[in-house]
Amino acid sequence: MTSTIVPGTVIPGVAAARLDEWIKDNGIVLHPRLHIGASDLGGIGLVFDNADGEVNAEDDFEVLRIPAKMGLDYMSLLEVMDAMKLRDGDVEAEIVESQLVVEVLKLMSPKTETEIIMAYIVAFEILRQVNVNSDYWRDSPLRKFDVYLDVLTHTATPSYPQIKSSPDPFINKLIASANAVKLEYDSFIGELAQEYKSLQVDKLMPFAKYYQIYQSIKSRSLEIPHASIDTDFSKLSLDSDSSKPNESDDTDFYINVTLVPILDFANHRHNNNAYFDVDLETSDVVLKLKNDATIDPAKFEVTISYSPHESVQHFIQTYGFIPQSTDFQLFELKLPPMDQVVKDGTLKSKWMRILPQIQIVGRKDEVYLNFFDNNLPLLFIDDFNYNPNWSDDAISDFRKYNDFADDDELDEVEILNVLKHQEECYDVINGIGPSGITFKGEKVDHLQSVIRAVAQDDSGYSFDDLIQRTITFIRDHAKTQLAAPPLVDDDDNNDNDGFTQLVSQYQTYQKRLLQRLVDYAGSIDDLILPEELAHPDWETNFRSLPRELVLGDD
């Protein structure tokens, strides 16, 4: 039987022959012409030999099938757990596997599907180093995961940041996220050590490995659709680009975050030539080539789309890389405090709920600024001013905004303190209307009504002028960013530090995009993203949310 691995391919963490044997033993079926090999996109990928032109079929072409039992989601892992408990009923061992898994789940307290998978994988990785060479260990149902654990713990991912902070807000966000994982690890490993004093758990699961698993699961997991019990299977179909059921189908389904071995070797490309699907009879996950894909070479890489929208920051945060693309890519540019160009600009933006940021849309040599659902130009209207005396009427405005009657009892001091705290510490003010701004010297009760009035042709306000002032401000900031020093020193950017490499790649991409914006010599109006190119998800779903105080009934 031929190997599924391209000869000479080095797969980090596992020998090619061992992976090949594991694939066959677990019923994973690759098309005879599909192989695992080095990818031009980086790392490992799936390569198809199309020497005889077999792909040019009338229907989409199945090239990979992964049995349902091999997918790891919270439901299948629960079944593994049940099998472990059944096996451990009468066992005598120093470390009982099912008990340790339960303890890890309890201590890690996962709240999302991804976190549940993380907790199980951490427990499995600890357990495969305990009771080694005992019959109990060899007969464990966990042995079938060993090879895949080798893949997960050696996947190329950004390493834990060695830098403490960065002048770039996005990089600071990545550092803060990594530090949060470190705090969770320290708490978890300390408590587990107390429960299992005979084990050196910090040696069995050092932080570097824990962080590696965290990054691998985040980058390799897929959203796999499942039909519910009451679904009419004959009506269920999947969208070939998103691999999710069509919304127009009259069916019930649910999505599980899932690790799917071997399928997760498929790399991302915006113009993907393949997609994953679910066999409705067997629940197997299958990879299919599109019959209409443009495929020229005799050998090509099989790619899927991780997301139809290539937001650079989203890809870095989720998958750990910047996608190679010739299509539109989104980049969120954080702007400096608006006080630098507008009097009281920071306070005005908070009360008007305007974030000082802009989404840049780039493709090849094109560059646009996305002003859809972005009210940034309103800050350049001189008739909008900050109201320093907003607290005088804050309680009555609060009552009106929240429909409280005049005789309703309120803790007025607490309300005023909360509003002032938001003004000092958050990006937007919640729980009250735009009391902190005036328009032409008058209080503003409803911002939208003023915006509609300003937008009228006879209002006397020039939209073109506001846009020009805004774009000039953005381009001036871009020039400042281009002159900024490197985010990481060259001395720090070594082969073993994936995080600093990623930061360096991020800044290179950013500067290339900003240079295009600064060098643009055409009409400023042509920098505005045209409506026919805009996508409704871009500005609303792929930008940072404000830091805000969530006010609830409690």
Side-chain angles (χ1 to χ4, degrees), residues 60 98 114 126 152 193 209 256 275 279 294 418 455 469-470 474 476 480 501 546:
D60 292 352
S98 58
T114 303
I126 291 173
L152 288 178
K209 180 179 286 189
N256 280 352
Y275 63 95
D279 185 317
T294 302
V418 168
R469 291 175 66 182
T470 306
I474 293 169
D476 286 344
T480 302
Q501 290 180 36

Side-chain angles (χ1 to χ4, degrees), residues 72 84 98 119 148 182 192 384 386 408:
L72 298 176
M84 292 171 64
S98 58
Y148 191 56
K182 181 65 165 64
L192 188 64
F384 277 120
Y386 175 62
D408 286 339

Side-chain angles (χ1 to χ4, degrees), residues 31-92:
H31 186 279
R33 294 185 180 274
L34 183 70
H35 300 88
I36 299 168
S39 167
D40 292 337
L41 297 171
I44 304 299
L46 300 177
V47 183
F48 195 88
D49 180 356
N50 192 39
D52 63 356
E54 187 174 7
V55 172
N56 299 322
E58 293 184 4
D59 297 323
D60 292 352
F61 192 77
E62 181 180 316
V63 294
L64 175 65
R65 177 173 289 262
I66 300 95
K69 66 179 182 179
M70 295 305 296
L72 298 176
D73 62 19
Y74 77 98
M75 292 298 293
S76 65
L77 287 166
L78 190 59
E79 292 178 5
V80 173
M81 187 71 208
D82 288 341
M84 292 171 64
K85 287 181 177 179
L86 183 64
R87 169 181 180 261
D88 289 343
D90 300 320
V91 74
E92 292 184 7

Side-chain angles (χ1 to χ4, degrees), residues 93-309:
E94 180 182 359
I95 303 297
V96 178
E97 290 185 337
S98 58
Q99 292 177 3
L100 187 139
V101 175
V102 169
E103 190 64 32
V104 169
L105 287 166
K106 183 181 76 173
L107 294 178
M108 291 185 67
S109 301
K111 297 178 179 60
T112 67
E113 291 180 50
T114 303
E115 290 174 356
I116 291 171
I117 296 172
M118 171 75 179
Y120 273 105
I121 296 298
V122 166
F124 292 175
E125 176 62 17
I126 291 173
L127 282 170
R128 75 167 173 159
Q129 300 173 68
V130 179
N131 298 324
V132 178
N133 294 325
S134 68
D135 290 339
Y136 175 67
W137 183 88
R138 281 189 291 271
D139 294 338
S140 171
L142 299 185
R143 294 288 67 77
K144 74 173 184 177
F145 299 115
D146 285 350
V147 169
Y148 191 56
L149 287 174
D150 283 332
V151 172
L152 288 178
T153 54
H154 290 83
T155 297
T157 62
S159 53
Y160 180 73
Q162 298 303 307
I163 55 177
K164 303 297 183 184
S165 64
S166 168
D168 186 279
F170 174 67
I171 300 305
N172 266 337
K173 185 177 180 180
L174 294 182
I175 294 171
S177 296
N179 289 338
V181 176
K182 181 65 165 64
L183 287 173
E184 291 169 0
Y185 167 82
D186 289 341
S187 174
F188 157 68
I189 213 71
E191 293 180 275
L192 188 64
Q194 288 296 314
E195 293 296 324
Y196 288 89
K197 293 184 173 63
S198 63
L199 299 179
Q200 291 182 300
V201 291
D202 58 333
K203 299 291 192 301
L204 298 174
M205 180 55 62
F207 175 69
K209 180 179 286 189
Y210 183 92
Y211 192 72
Q212 168 75 35
I213 292 172
Y214 163 79
Q215 293 279 66
S216 296
I217 291 173
K218 190 172 65 166
S219 65
R220 299 181 80 97
S221 59
L222 300 167
E223 293 185 336
I224 303 296
H226 300 268
S228 66
I229 295 175
D230 297 327
T231 293
D232 182 349
F233 280 67
S234 65
K235 295 181 179 180
L236 184 64
S237 65
L238 297 176
D239 183 295
S240 63
D241 286 324
S242 68
S243 295
K244 296 179 182 178
N246 291 320
E247 293 181 359
S248 59
D249 292 335
D250 186 20
T251 56
D252 294 323
F253 68 93
Y254 59 94
I255 299 291
N256 280 352
V257 175
T258 311
L259 289 172
V260 186
I262 307 306
L263 174 60
D264 57 13
F265 280 135
N267 285 312
H268 164 83
R269 193 186 291 278
H270 181 79
N271 297 315
N272 53 304
N273 55 29
Y275 63 95
F276 60 87
D277 202 341
V278 176
D279 185 317
L280 300 178
E281 293 184 0
T282 64
S283 294
D284 293 349
V285 179
V286 295
L287 179 65
K288 294 183 178 181
L289 286 173
K290 298 179 182 179
N291 65 357
D292 59 350
T294 302
I295 298 170
D296 294 325
K299 286 187 178 181
F300 60 88
E301 182 166 356
V302 178
T303 57
I304 60 177
S305 174
Y306 293 0
S307 169
H309 309 293

Side-chain angles (χ1 to χ4, degrees), residues 336-397:
M338 296 304 297
D339 295 331
Q340 297 182 15
V341 288
V342 177
K343 182 183 178 182
D344 297 320
T346 297
L347 291 169
K348 284 168 60 177
S349 64
K350 291 183 178 187
W351 284 100
M352 297 172 75
R353 300 183 63 82
I354 297 172
L355 293 178
Q357 60 191 32
I358 189 71
Q359 186 181 85
I360 304 177
V361 180
R363 179 177 63 177
K364 296 183 180 178
D365 295 329
E366 298 174 83
V367 63
Y368 301 100
L369 299 174
N370 186 0
F371 284 101
F372 290 94
D373 291 303
N374 189 328
N375 289 327
L376 187 63
L378 295 178
L379 291 175
F380 291 87
I381 296 178
D382 295 330
D383 286 327
F384 277 120
N385 287 289
Y386 175 62
N387 173 21
N389 301 315
W390 63 266
S391 59
D392 294 347
D393 301 317
I395 300 304
S396 59
D397 292 344

Side-chain angles (χ1 to χ4, degrees), residues 302-322:
V302 178
T303 57
I304 60 177
S305 174
Y306 293 0
S307 169
H309 309 293
E310 291 189 342
S311 165
V312 170
Q313 279 100 339
H314 170 73
F315 262 76
I316 290 175
Q317 199 163 11
T318 305
Y319 306 112
F321 69 92
I322 299 173

